[in-house]
């Protein structure tokens, strides 16, 4: 039951994009097409899960025992950058269309504050390994959900007769704020 509540809270209540405002760059940058948003969300979920596991182990078995906690941020950044480079190479070979669709946004995962933020949050919340894994995957699913829903909203907004001054970024900001408010409705669940 604890893991289910952790999952629900991470996906809906504490959605990393809509309530914690982490990962905003890809949220606005890659959310113009549902397919691209889905690919980016899946890539971020994968990187979140792998990087959280690796950084958790580095923190527990290297940094903390050697009293090197002050190196947490820099070591986590290096791990995340390495994992993203590996993901980029795999996507290039396995799925060239997805690799091309993501284009310049794939390296953005390296600097996506969502990935680093989750790695640090797991340590701060003192989760065990399984809780860390469930939390990171749940955060990734929440990121994916927010990306896909927002991409769908943007697709519908393009069809609407929007005033010229409100096109693109202004209407996207308004739509994102409405989406964030809709996720606030889940607050009492977990």
């Amino acid at each position: 039951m604890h893991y289910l509540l952790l999952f629900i809270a991470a996906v809906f209540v504490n959605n990393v994009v809509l309530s914690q405002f982490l990962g905003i760059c890809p949220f606005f940058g890659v959310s113009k097409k549902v397919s691209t948003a889905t690919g980016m969300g899946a890539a971020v979920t994968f990187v979140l899960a792998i990087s959280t596991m690796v950084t958790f182990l580095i923190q527990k078995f290297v940094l903390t025992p050697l009293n090197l906690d002050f190196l947490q941020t820099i070591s986590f950044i290096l791990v995340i950058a390495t994992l993203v480079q590996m993901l980029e190479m795999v996507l290039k070979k396995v799925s060239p269309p997805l690799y091309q669709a993501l284009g310049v946004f794939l390296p953005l995962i390296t600097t996506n504050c969502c990935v680093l933020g989750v790695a640090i949050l797991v340590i701060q919340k003192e989760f065990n390994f399984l809780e860390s894994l469930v939390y990171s995957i749940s955060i990734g699913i929440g990121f994916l959900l927010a990306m896909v829903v927002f991409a769908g909203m943007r697709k519908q907004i393009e069809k609407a007769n929007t005033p010229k001054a409100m096109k693109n970024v202004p209407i996207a900001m308004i739509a994102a704020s409405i989406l964030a408010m809709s996720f606030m409705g889940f607050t009492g669940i977990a």
Side-chain angles (χ1 to χ4, degrees), residues 45-150:
T45 303
F46 176 75
V47 170
L48 270 169
I50 300 298
S51 65
T52 300
M53 287 189 301
V54 173
T55 56
F56 178 88
L57 294 173
I58 288 172
Q59 180 71 37
K60 293 297 179 191
F61 296 113
V62 177
L63 298 178
T64 301
L66 297 175
N67 290 325
L68 297 173
D69 292 327
F70 61 92
L71 293 175
Q72 180 187 55
T73 304
I74 192 71
S75 61
F76 285 12
I77 289 171
L78 290 172
V79 167
I80 292 165
T82 304
L83 289 171
V84 170
Q85 287 299 100
M86 290 179 1
L87 175 66
E88 192 171 0
M89 290 187 298
V90 168
L91 277 180
K92 196 173 191 178
K93 293 208 184 280
V94 173
S95 179
L98 179 59
Y99 174 77
Q100 288 180 344
L102 292 174
V104 73
F105 297 109
L106 191 57
L108 274 179
I109 296 175
T110 304
T111 59
N112 187 343
C113 55
C114 166
V115 179
L116 179 61
V118 170
I120 292 172
L121 278 173
V122 161
I123 303 302
Q124 287 177 346
K125 292 181 182 226
E126 298 179 357
F127 286 153
N128 63 36
F129 187 77
L130 187 57
E131 288 172 330
S132 300
L133 183 60
V134 169
Y135 184 74
S136 64
I137 291 171
S138 303
I139 289 288
I141 291 169
F143 183 84
L144 173 68
L145 177 67
M147 290 280 290
V148 170
V149 169
F150 190 58

